């Protein structure tokens, strides 16, 4: 595994990089351009991370993760929010929290209504369609996460390196404050190679082909009071939401 600062992918080559390497990293200015909004408009979404609810499903007993979760269907340029539903993953993909329906609080309507939210999801979805060379609808799950240092250490991925069981996964850094750690690690799904780097600039995005690579983020530790790391994780899946038949 090699370590470095993020090596960014040229915006014209992201779809190709997803097909060839299984991942691409985009700097904040390119993410904003992809969405057709300004960085200031993306930053206007950030205060909603202060209103996340405690994740009560952590099997390690921790109180370091807050989150909200909502689902959408993206069909071409149209993005429609779906009725609220539980998040489900199979045990073979998430040995710690798989096999159970986890019903989190939904993303706030005021957040979803912001033009930057709609533009960001649609823009990344278009990129996924270009990489897959498909115009089929996408079933999108959106997760707002805050990992904090309430317990002295916060674990962004307590289940370890894993796929999300979507077709594509976007991990966007929204902010980090008063912490160290939180290194991003990517591994080939069927090989020995990997990359690691730390995202530090808000709205840096890692985009993954979920069949080609697995990923994790290392624990965070406090450098100051109330240290935390905020991310937005989005998954695009063809054919339906994962575990749709298991949802209540």
């Amino acid at each position: 595994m090699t370590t470095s600062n993020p090596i960014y992918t040229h915006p014209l080559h992201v779809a190709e990089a997803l097909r060839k390497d299984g991942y691409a990293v985009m700097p904040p200015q390119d993410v904003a351009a992809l969405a057709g909004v300004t960085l200031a408009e993306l930053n206007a979404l950030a205060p909603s991370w202060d209103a996340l609810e405690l994740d009560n499903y952590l099997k390690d007993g921790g109180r370091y993760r807050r989150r909200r979760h909502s689902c959408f269907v993206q069909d071409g340029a149209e993005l429609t929010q779906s009725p609220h539903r539980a998040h489900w993953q199979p045990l073979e993909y998430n040995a710690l929290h798989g096999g159970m329906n986890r019903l989190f609080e939904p993303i706030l309507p005021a957040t979803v209504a912001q033009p930057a939210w709609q533009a960001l999801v649609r823009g990344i979805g278009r990129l996924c369609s270009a990489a897959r060379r498909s115009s089929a609808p996408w079933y999108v799950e959106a997760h707002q996460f805050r990992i904090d240092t309430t317990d002295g250490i916060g674990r962004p991925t307590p289940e370890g390196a894993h796929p999300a069981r979507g077709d594509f996964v976007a991990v966007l850094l929204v902010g980090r404050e008063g912490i160290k750690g939180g290194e991003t690690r990517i591994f080939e799904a069927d090989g020995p190679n990997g990359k690691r780097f730390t995202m530090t600039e808000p709205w840096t995005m890692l985009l993954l082909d979920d069949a080609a690579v697995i990923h994790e983020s290392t624990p965070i530790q406090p450098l100051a009071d109330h240290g935390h790391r905020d991310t937005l994780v989005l998954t695009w899946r063809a054919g339906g939401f994962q575990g749709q038949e298991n949802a209540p």
Side-chain angles (χ1 to χ4, degrees):
M1 175 181 287
T2 59
T3 181
S4 66
N5 294 322
I7 299 176
Y8 297 124
T9 307
H10 190 282
L12 295 178
H13 301 152
V14 172
E16 179 187 357
L18 285 170
R19 290 191 293 265
K20 179 183 176 184
D21 302 320
Y23 75 96
V25 186
M26 299 181 69
Q29 62 271 24
D30 287 351
V31 173
L34 174 68
V37 299
T38 65
L39 280 174
E41 288 174 300
L42 288 178
N43 286 330
L45 294 170
S48 65
W49 268 257
D50 293 331
L52 304 189
E53 297 291 339
L54 191 65
D55 183 341
N56 291 309
Y57 293 94
L58 288 171
K59 286 188 175 180
D60 63 4
R63 296 178 60 82
Y64 53 79
R65 183 158 77 181
R66 295 179 178 273
R67 69 192 295 176
R68 288 182 180 272
H69 166 253
S70 289
C71 296
F72 305 82
V73 176
Q74 182 174 2
D75 190 356
E78 186 175 353
L79 183 69
T80 305
Q81 187 165 3
S82 301
H84 193 49
R85 61 187 301 278
H87 177 53
W88 185 88
Q89 292 173 297
L91 279 167
E92 59 267 31
Y93 283 82
N94 186 335
L96 188 59
H97 297 118
M100 61 178 177
N101 288 313
R102 291 179 286 166
L103 187 63
F104 301 107
E105 291 298 314
I107 295 173
L108 293 172
T111 304
V112 174
Q114 290 197 48
W117 176 274
Q118 303 281 330
L120 180 64
V121 177
R122 288 198 303 265
I124 303 171
R126 287 194 300 270
L127 203 50
C128 296
S129 293
R132 189 53 53 90
R133 298 188 176 102
S134 171
S135 59
W138 292 112
Y139 295 81
V140 184
E141 293 198 46
H143 306 259
Q144 291 179 291
F145 286 105
R146 169 166 288 180
I147 307 300
D148 64 36
T149 53
T150 296
D151 296 342
I153 189 170
R155 296 176 175 84
T157 50
E159 63 273 18
H162 65 289
R165 205 170 182 254
D167 285 71
F168 295 99
V169 182
V171 181
L172 296 108
L173 178 71
V174 177
R176 50 183 291 146
E177 182 177 336
I179 61 166
K180 61 181 179 180
E183 181 183 72
T184 297
R185 296 181 176 181
I186 309 166
F187 306 88
E188 290 178 343
D190 298 310
N193 296 322
K195 301 286 184 183
R196 64 189 192 190
F197 52 85
T198 301
M199 296 191 289
T200 58
E201 292 186 79
W203 302 107
T204 300
M205 179 174 74
L206 168 65
L207 188 57
L208 305 165
D209 179 338
D210 203 43
V213 296
I214 58 177
H215 67 283
E216 68 176 348
S217 296
T218 62
I220 62 170
Q221 295 176 295
L223 293 175
D225 291 340
H226 309 299
H228 63 266
R229 178 178 183 264
D230 293 346
T231 56
L232 172 63
V233 178
L234 300 156
T235 63
W236 282 261
R237 192 170 187 265
F241 293 112
Q242 65 173 340
Q244 197 161 38
E245 68 280 4
N246 300 297

